[in-house]
Amino acid sequence: SASSPSTSDRQSYRGKQLHDLVYKNRAKQVEEFAYVPKVFREALVGAGWNVGRSPVHHAVTATDGTTKILLKLEDNRLVETVGIPVDDRGTPRLTACVSSQVGCPLRCSFCATGKGGFARNLKGHEIVEQVLAIEESFKHRVTNVVFMGMGEPMLNLKAVLEAHQCLNKELKIGQRMMTISTVGVPNTISKLASHKLQSTLAVSLHAPNQRLRETIVPSAKAYPLEALMDDCKNYFLETGRRVSFEYTLLAGINDEKAHAEELAALLHACGGGYHVNLIPYNPVEGSEYKRPYRKAIQAFVDALESRKITVSVRQTRGLDANAACGQLRNEFQKNPLLESSPPSEPNQLLESSTPSEPSLVPA
């Protein structure tokens, strides 16, 4: 006669069940766990476990298909995530632009997120669930993830790395299909380099010199451009992955040919060969900045390319959906510091990469 399964075998079996229910069946709450005995579901609920999914508070879709979703977190704060569909020569891609913080403390002058204030860091599972919400909205798997939503990822690096691992291992999104963006936080680029990720590091420059950058990015005063570029150079030497540089074009501020020439010289001094992603400014209500004309954008591109700098211009998506980072959240939640008592810390099933254990990952 067959012997009864050991406790560890039963735990491993249950862990695999829970893993599949969360990541394959995409169950949103423990009560939806199919094929799991009722007594076990009740035990999970009684022990304070939940799946770690937040309800959609509001969603808006632009004419080009870009969809912005506001998720209502357990403490009643709102966080944005954006789904961007692209048909790349007949191959559909779906990019999820995810947030790493509720708001942002860095307050870059052109950014709507900073105008909405800063509340807190997101937990790892609150980053992962943004991708699941996009997949659910589009009925299509996410192929690319960019950590370019609300917040500064390097100020929440532990949770960002947890989410990155989960997205890679559990949702099967390749590391090279993910990009982590930063405006620059001292002593963090070297920490990221030590993890030897195959993902892209995107550094938001927005100016070719320290003086101008300080007026656009206030935090640059504590992290001089020279030090930032040295860290980028060392990042490439340690990881073998070239850094991509984001540059938001602001009409009459940083979009002149002379700025492009200075930017090219800066990158060549850092080793050259780097890629620049130009982002024509996405208008924000109440901002003094303006979007440059196409002629100015093209002149900037030509000046870089003539100096052997590869450059792309980001296609503006979802203007009619308040797609600039932070805009939609600000409409619904001007003040992130709500008068509400924070809930007790629940256990979360989302964000695990250890499917053999029934108690997957507490938040």
Side-chain angles (χ1 to χ4, degrees), residues 154 157 161 175 180 182 185 187-201 203 223 230-243:
M154 293 298 195
L157 188 55
L161 290 172
Q175 286 198 20
I180 298 175
T182 180
V185 176
N187 305 315
T188 57
I189 291 178
S190 58
K191 286 182 183 177
L192 182 65
S194 69
H195 290 273
K196 300 287 198 299
L197 301 182
Q198 289 300 298
S199 298
T200 298
L201 171 64
V203 173
Y223 194 14
D230 282 345
D231 285 344
C232 290
K233 183 175 182 179
N234 290 333
Y235 182 89
F236 169 65
L237 293 174
E238 185 164 349
T239 66
R241 300 284 296 167
R242 291 219 180 264
V243 177

Side-chain angles (χ1 to χ4, degrees), residues 229 232-233 236 240-245 263-277 304 307-311:
M229 298 307 290
C232 290
K233 183 175 182 179
F236 169 65
R241 300 284 296 167
R242 291 219 180 264
V243 177
S244 175
F245 290 97
L263 176 60
L266 177 72
L267 296 182
H268 282 304
C270 190
Y274 294 103
H275 179 267
V276 173
N277 188 17
L304 288 176
R307 286 159 179 79
K308 303 288 192 293
I309 300 292
T310 60
V311 58

Side-chain angles (χ1 to χ4, degrees), residues 183 205-229 262 266:
V183 76
L205 277 184
H206 309 314
N209 61 66
Q210 177 67 14
R211 180 188 56 79
L212 179 57
R213 192 166 192 263
E214 285 183 13
T215 68
I216 300 172
V217 183
S219 62
K221 294 175 184 175
Y223 194 14
L225 185 57
E226 183 179 357
L228 173 61
M229 298 307 290
E262 193 175 2
L266 177 72

Side-chain angles (χ1 to χ4, degrees), residues 136-157:
E136 189 172 276
S137 175
F138 281 85
K139 306 275 193 295
H140 192 284
R141 74 176 296 269
V142 164
T143 57
N144 300 68
V145 175
V146 293
F147 290 80
M148 293 182 179
M150 293 165 51
E152 166 53 61
M154 293 298 195
L155 289 177
N156 190 20
L157 188 55

